[in-house]
């Protein structure tokens, strides 16, 4: 299992995330990021070529040393400063209100505690900052949902913890964000894996909500 997790799975993730059909969404989500940017789940750095001139600095976090090793090659080609941090998203090592934009693409599905990760994202985001996201998750069709729920336990075991059945917009709102733009649609491919949530969100009024209780 260790050979699969550390040698096969990172290369498989890098290949899947490099599919051409994802490039358009990457361009929209990462391309409009501005200022100091935090990318949660930067993986092998597939978004780095899509950042525009408004992104002044990019800080990427990911728990996988193997994927970050791939990201260093992409970072070396970037025209802007890129820092890579091996870290889980649930405990970000950054000060409050320290980023202008948080970007997350196809990562919330595999973070063990996405609610805690989003709460941390809100904490480190400036009050006038923006969360930019594209994620796959729970589909609206009941028949598809049933299969997503059935297959997720097995699928997550062989895909690095990926869940097919997370309702991403609800998770984002519950973490203290107001979604300002949301597009939901299926990409080509199996419907259980291709329902996409793409949009932007801003911190809602009031204090940052406390992190949800952890299951120890």
């Amino acid at each position: 299992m260790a050979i699969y997790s550390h040698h096969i799975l990172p290369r498989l993730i890098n290949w899947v995330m490099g599919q051409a059909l994802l490039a358009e969404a990457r361009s929209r989500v990462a391309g409009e990021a501005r200022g100091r940017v935090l990318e949660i789940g930067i993986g092998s750095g597939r978004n780095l070529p899509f950042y525009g001139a408004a992104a002044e600095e990019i800080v990427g976090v990911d728990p996988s040393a193997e994927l970050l090793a791939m990201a260093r090659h992409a970072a070396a080609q970037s025209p802007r400063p890129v820092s890579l941090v091996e870290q889980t998203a649930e405990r970000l090592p950054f000060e409050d209100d320290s980023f202008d934009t948080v970007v997350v693409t196809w990562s919330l599905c595999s973070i063990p505690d996405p609610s805690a990760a989003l709460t941390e994202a809100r904490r480190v985001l400036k009050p006038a900052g923006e969360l930019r996201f594209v994620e796959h998750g729970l589909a609206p069709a009941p028949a598809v949902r049933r299969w997503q729920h059935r297959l997720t336990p097995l699928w997550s075991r062989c895909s690095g913890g990926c869940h097919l059945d997370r309702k991403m917009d609800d998770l984002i709102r519950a973490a203290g964000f107001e979604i300002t733009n949301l597009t939901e649609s299926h990409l080509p491919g199996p419907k259980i894996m291709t329902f996409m949530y793409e949009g932007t969100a801003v911190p809602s009024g009031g204090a940052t909500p406390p992190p949800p209780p952890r299951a120890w």
Side-chain angles (χ1 to χ4, degrees), residues 29 102 104 130-135 172 179-183 197-201:
V29 173
V102 174
V104 58
E130 184 178 59
L131 172 71
R132 304 185 62 83
F133 62 90
V134 58
E135 296 286 341
I172 291 168
I179 294 178
T180 54
N181 180 54
L182 179 64
T183 301
Y197 299 76
E198 179 185 335
T200 57

Side-chain angles (χ1 to χ4, degrees), residues 100-207:
D100 301 289
T101 309
V102 174
V103 169
V104 58
T105 63
W106 299 294
S107 295
L108 291 175
C109 63
S110 58
I111 293 174
D113 190 342
S115 296
L118 285 164
T119 299
E120 278 287 86
R122 187 180 185 277
R123 178 184 66 79
V124 303
L125 193 61
K126 294 178 181 179
E130 184 178 59
L131 172 71
R132 304 185 62 83
F133 62 90
V134 58
E135 296 286 341
H136 76 98
L138 192 66
V144 178
R145 287 186 177 207
R146 284 194 293 271
W147 278 106
Q148 287 178 312
H149 292 315
R150 288 170 184 161
L151 293 176
T152 286
L154 176 61
W155 175 252
S156 64
R157 292 183 63 185
C158 60
S159 61
C162 176
H163 289 67
L164 302 170
D165 57 355
R166 288 177 173 171
K167 196 169 188 303
M168 298 302 182
D169 56 337
D170 286 353
L171 287 171
I172 291 168
R173 291 188 183 98
F177 286 97
E178 176 187 349
I179 294 178
T180 54
N181 180 54
L182 179 64
T183 301
E184 298 173 306
S185 63
H186 275 286
L187 289 179
K191 290 188 179 296
I192 61 169
M193 301 177 182
T194 58
F195 186 73
M196 300 295 158
Y197 299 76
E198 179 185 335
T200 57
V202 296
S204 57

Side-chain angles (χ1 to χ4, degrees), residues 113 211-216:
D113 190 342
R214 295 180 181 273
W216 298 102

Side-chain angles (χ1 to χ4, degrees), residues 4-153:
Y4 177 76
S5 299
H6 294 291
H7 299 284
I8 298 173
L9 183 60
R11 288 169 174 78
L12 183 59
I13 291 172
N14 179 56
W15 175 75
V16 171
M17 289 292 98
Q19 299 302 298
L21 62 86
L22 305 181
E24 191 173 332
R26 291 188 190 280
S27 180
R28 289 190 298 265
V29 173
E32 297 297 322
R34 60 177 179 81
R36 188 173 188 231
V37 180
L38 172 65
E39 183 173 336
I40 292 175
I42 194 169
S44 59
R46 288 292 189 178
N47 284 332
L48 289 176
F50 293 93
Y51 283 102
E56 300 167 5
E57 176 192 1
I58 300 161
V59 179
V61 297
D62 201 281
S64 170
E66 294 80 12
L67 286 171
L68 287 177
M70 300 179 200
R72 290 189 185 95
H73 294 288
Q77 308 301 317
S78 175
R80 56 194 56 80
V82 178
S83 303
L84 301 173
V85 181
E86 186 178 341
Q87 179 65 41
T88 60
E90 295 94 336
R91 295 182 184 274
L92 296 174
F94 309 115
E95 295 181 358
D96 296 359
D97 306 334
S98 54
F99 290 92
D100 301 289
T101 309
V102 174
V103 169
V104 58
T105 63
W106 299 294
S107 295
L108 291 175
C109 63
S110 58
I111 293 174
D113 190 342
S115 296
L118 285 164
T119 299
E120 278 287 86
R122 187 180 185 277
R123 178 184 66 79
V124 303
L125 193 61
K126 294 178 181 179
E130 184 178 59
L131 172 71
R132 304 185 62 83
F133 62 90
V134 58
E135 296 286 341
H136 76 98
L138 192 66
V144 178
R145 287 186 177 207
R146 284 194 293 271
W147 278 106
Q148 287 178 312
H149 292 315
R150 288 170 184 161
L151 293 176
T152 286

